[in-house]
Amino acid sequence: MSEISHRQTGRHLEACQKNGFSPVYLIFGEPYLCRRARQSLVEALIPDEQTRQVSLEVIDAGEGQGASQAVESVGTFSFFSGPRVVVYEAPALFGTGTGQGGETKGQGGQTANDAAILEAAVERGFPKNHHLIIVTSRADKRKRLYKAVAAAGTVINCAVATGSRKADLDEQRQVLRQLAAETLGPRKKNLEPAAFEHIFDLTGFDPRSFVNNLEKLALYTAEHSRIMAADAAEVLEKTREDPIYLFTGALAERRPDLALYYLDSLLASGYHPMQLLAAAANQVRRILAVKSFVEDTPGGSEWKPSLSFDQFKARVLPQVIEHDKAVAAYAVQAGQDLEITPGSGKDKAGTDMVIAKNPKNAYPVYQVFIQADRFTGHELSQALAAIARADLAMKSTGTSPRAVLESLIFSVFAPVSESSEKTSSTTGMHSYNVTP
C-alpha cells in the first residue's frame, strides 16, 4: 500500500478511521519513535483499554518466539468481537549484516525460514479485522519480505540520520521539535528556541531523554506558559556524551574556553589524552591543507571569506576537486617511485593534503575554509611543532597529560590577542610549556 514517515502517523491513523486499517504494518527505525508509533497504532486499532487486554498479543523474537507463532496467533479467531492485533517485536528478518536487527551466521537458516513463513502469510492475507504489527530496528528495502509487507500493508519509517553533518543535525532537530510540540501542546506550553538548543546540547539526539526533560520542565514551570533557557539550565543535568568533533571545532574556532569544557567532558567519558592530541593534530593538518591551497595555488584565489555556501560550491569546490585529483595522482606516483605497495598504509601520507575526501558533502569543507582564515600559515606550522612537543612530553615526562593538553590549548589555539600571554598563570602549570 505505502510507506510513510513517522511524522505522518497521526494523519494516517485519522484516514484509517474512515477507510480502514492495513492488515499488516512494519515499523522500523529509532527505538523511541518506533514505540510511539506502535502505541499510537495499537490505541487506534483497539481504543478500549479493557478490550486491549484480551485482543492484543505481543510476541517477542528476542525470547525465542518465531514467525510461525506470530502468523498462527494473528490467524486465530478470538472469542470476543472486535479487532485482533498481534505485535511481533524485533525480528531479525529485515536487517542486513550483524547486530540488532541484523542476521548472524548462527541465525541465518532460522531467519530465512521465518522470513519465508511471514512472507507467505502476508501475501495470503489475514482474517478480516486481524492485524499484524512488526517492529524492528532497521529494514533493508531490497528484501522480498519488505516488498511483500509494503505491497500488502503500510510501512512506518522511523529512521533518523545519526551523523554529525549539518543535514543530519537539522533532521534531528526537526524530529525533536515535533516531539516538543506533541509533548507541550496538550499542556499549553511552548519552548523558547534558546531552551530547545540548551536541551539539545545536554542530551544530543536522544528522543527519550529529550521528552523526559520536557516533562520535568513542564512540571517545574507549572505556573508559566513558556519554558525559558534559564529554566532548562536550572533543572537539567547533562546526559550527552560529547563527540570529539566538538572539541576539535572549538580549537579551530580559537575558543580555548569551549575547548577546555569539551576536554573535561571527553576525558570524563573515557577518552585517552593521546586520542585528543591526535584529533587536534588531524584538525590542524586539515586547516593547513586548505591554507596551502588558498595561498599557494591558482585555484585558491577563488576563495573569499565573504562567500556564501552556494557560492563556495559553485566557484571554489570545482577548483578543490581538481587540486585533490592532482594531489592524489602525485601521491600514487611518489609511492611507485619509492616502491611502496598500495594499501600498505605507508602510501596514505600524501592523502593528508586532499581537502574534499567526500565532495558530495561539501559543507564541512566550507567550514574548514572559514576556520583557515583564523590562522596564518606560520601559526599552523608552529601549531604542528607544538603538538609534536606535547606528544613527546606525554610520553617521556611526568607532566599530567591533562596539563599538557590545557597548556597546548591556551598557547596555540587562543585568539591572537591572547596567544602571547603566558599560559602558566592561567592553568597553574609551570613544569611544561608548549608555546611555539
Side-chain angles (χ1 to χ4, degrees):
M1 291 183 178
S2 64
E3 174 181 321
I4 63 172
S5 163
H6 61 94
R7 293 186 291 271
Q8 300 171 297
T9 302
R11 291 197 297 272
H12 171 78
L13 296 180
E14 290 177 2
C16 289
Q17 299 288 357
K18 300 177 182 178
N19 306 320
F21 291 86
S22 299
V24 58
Y25 285 87
L26 168 62
I27 305 174
F28 76 92
E30 202 283 326
Y32 180 81
L33 299 178
C34 285
R35 287 196 296 272
R36 285 174 63 96
R38 169 198 150 171
Q39 180 179 351
S40 298
L41 180 56
V42 167
E43 291 176 354
L45 286 165
I46 314 174
D48 183 71
E49 186 174 352
Q50 290 185 334
T51 304
R52 206 178 299 147
Q53 294 177 2
V54 295
S55 299
L56 171 66
E57 182 176 359
V58 178
I59 294 178
D60 190 346
E63 297 179 358
Q65 298 174 296
S68 58
Q69 292 166 284
V71 169
E72 180 181 355
S73 181
V74 78
T76 301
F77 287 92
S78 173
F79 290 108
F80 304 94
S81 61
R84 176 168 179 76
V85 177
V86 174
V87 176
Y88 187 23
E89 283 276 12
L93 308 179
F94 295 87
T96 57
T98 60
Q100 186 181 14
E103 302 171 14
T104 65
K105 292 182 179 179
Q107 295 173 326
Q110 182 60 46
T111 297
N113 186 52
D114 280 352
I117 291 172
L118 200 55
E119 182 184 341
V122 168
E123 292 176 345
R124 186 170 59 248
F126 306 128
K128 184 178 180 181
N129 236 11
H130 287 214
H131 306 271
L132 176 64
I133 302 172
I134 308 167
V135 184
T136 188
S137 61
R138 55 184 177 180
D140 186 342
K141 298 181 181 182
R142 299 168 297 181
K143 287 186 173 288
R144 289 180 54 182
L145 179 54
Y146 178 93
K147 294 176 181 177
V149 172
T154 300
V155 177
I156 302 178
N157 185 344
C158 297
V160 181
T162 58
S164 58
R165 299 180 306 167
K166 181 178 183 298
D168 297 337
L169 295 175
D170 287 346
E171 181 180 351
Q172 293 165 20
R173 283 184 169 88
Q174 183 180 7
V175 170
L176 295 180
R177 286 191 180 98
Q178 180 181 355
L179 291 176
E182 293 173 358
T183 303
L184 299 177
R187 296 174 169 84
K188 296 183 179 180
K189 290 182 177 290
N190 56 68
L191 188 65
E192 181 188 42
F196 173 89
E197 291 298 331
H198 184 79
I199 302 172
F200 185 71
D201 182 60
L202 290 176
T203 65
F205 183 69
D206 184 345
R208 181 180 61 82
S209 296
F210 181 81
V211 171
N212 287 343
N213 283 334
L214 286 181
E215 291 172 346
K216 291 179 186 177
L217 289 168
L219 291 173
Y220 179 75
T221 59
E223 298 179 358
H224 306 285
S225 62
R226 189 169 178 83
I227 298 174
M228 311 294 286
D231 300 321
E234 180 73 22
V235 174
L236 304 180
E237 296 181 357
K238 182 173 182 177
T239 59
R240 174 183 186 170
E241 181 177 313
D242 291 312
I244 201 166
Y245 71 83
L246 293 177
F247 169 68
T248 56
L251 297 179
E253 292 177 10
R254 307 193 79 153
R255 289 282 308 276
D257 54 338
L258 201 57
L260 285 177
Y261 170 80
Y262 289 125
L263 173 67
D264 288 341
S265 175
L266 290 167
L267 290 175
S269 299
Y271 278 85
H272 193 279
M274 291 300 297
Q275 287 178 279
L276 302 182
L277 185 64
N282 290 335
Q283 182 74 1
V284 171
R285 290 192 190 99
R286 282 193 291 270
I287 297 174
L288 184 58
V290 168
K291 198 71 177 178
S292 298
F293 169 78
V294 171
E295 294 184 348
D296 302 331
T297 70
S301 62
E302 291 289 340
W303 167 252
K304 299 292 185 297
S306 59
L307 291 183
S308 67
F309 177 49
D310 287 339
Q311 290 171 326
F312 170 81
K313 287 194 297 182
R315 294 167 52 181
V316 182
L317 188 59
Q319 302 293 334
V320 169
I321 293 172
E322 291 303 314
H323 166 79
D324 287 348
K325 288 179 181 178
V327 168
Y330 175 81
V332 170
Q333 184 60 51
Q336 292 173 348
D337 293 343
L338 296 172
E339 298 183 351
I340 296 175
T341 303
S344 66
K346 296 178 183 179
D347 60 329
K348 294 180 180 179
T351 62
D352 281 349
M353 297 304 289
V354 171
I355 296 171
K357 293 182 173 63
N358 180 12
K360 293 182 179 179
N361 181 24
Y363 191 78
V365 182
Y366 174 64
Q367 289 296 311
V368 179
F369 271 77
I370 294 174
Q371 293 163 357
D373 286 330
R374 300 190 180 104
F375 298 84
T376 67
H378 178 70
E379 285 176 328
L380 293 168
S381 298
Q382 293 287 65
L384 285 179
I387 289 171
R389 290 193 294 274
D391 179 78
L392 181 63
M394 283 190 188
K395 295 174 180 176
S396 61
T397 72
T399 308
S400 159
R402 179 194 291 269
V404 173
L405 288 170
E406 289 176 345
S407 180
L408 179 73
I409 289 169
F410 275 103
S411 63
V412 176
F413 297 101
V416 176
S417 60
E418 299 175 18
S419 59
S420 59
E421 297 179 6
K422 297 184 69 173
T423 61
S424 56
S425 61
T426 307
T427 62
M429 297 175 293
H430 302 274
S431 58
Y432 176 67
N433 193 343
V434 296
T435 302

